[in-house]
Amino acid sequence: MLIPRLCSQKIKVALQRQAAVALLGARQVGKTTLALQYAKNLDHQYLDLENPEDRQSLEHPLFYLRQFEDKLVVLDEIHRVPELFSVLRVLIDEGRRKGLGTGRFLILGSASAELLKQS
């Protein structure tokens, strides 16, 4: 059983240490609900990569995501766009050079072997 208060605290601690944190799990277990509950009081940008409009926003992912370097970006269903992992690496490296070391990306996806290899 998911205890949101405890899980939110774990996300917070992880994002204070890392630039990107992944929530992986089976479909329909509450990853999106948990992520949105965590982000609701933060300045954030949410993208559902199953939504064609959100995927369209990422036609030029470096350009688009650079707009949000001062916000938490929540990328839901990231396994739908695996090429984003290399883009995130570039953005995280750029951010570290600017002093933006932690708390930048919360990525959600099904815990498939393919996703784990990409991340």
Side-chain angles (χ1 to χ4, degrees), residues 2-12 15 20-26 28-49 71-78 103-110:
L2 181 72
I3 303 173
R5 176 176 37 83
L6 296 176
C7 292
S8 290
Q9 183 62 26
K10 288 182 183 241
I11 294 169
K12 180 180 180 180
L15 283 168
V21 171
L23 295 179
L24 305 175
Q28 303 296 312
V29 297
K31 296 180 300 290
T32 301
T33 301
L34 177 62
L36 291 176
Q37 179 184 17
Y38 173 78
K40 73 179 175 184
N41 295 319
L42 301 174
D43 196 5
H44 73 281
Q45 178 68 22
Y46 172 79
L47 295 168
D48 178 352
L49 299 178
K71 297 182 180 186
L72 174 66
V73 177
V74 180
L75 297 166
D76 200 353
E77 304 290 349
I78 197 163
R104 300 202 44 217
F105 300 99
L106 183 56
I107 59 176
L108 317 176
S110 298

Side-chain angles (χ1 to χ4, degrees), residues 22 24 85 107 114-119:
L24 305 175
F85 286 107
I107 59 176
E114 293 164 28
L115 181 62
L116 293 172
K117 282 195 313 190
Q118 287 291 322
S119 62

Side-chain angles (χ1 to χ4, degrees), residues 30-31 38 46 51 53 62 64 67 69-71 73 97-99 109:
K31 296 180 300 290
Y38 173 78
Y46 172 79
N51 180 330
E53 291 177 359
L62 282 171
Y64 183 79
Q67 300 176 79
E69 68 180 15
D70 59 338
K71 297 182 180 186
V73 177
R97 289 189 290 275
K98 295 178 184 179

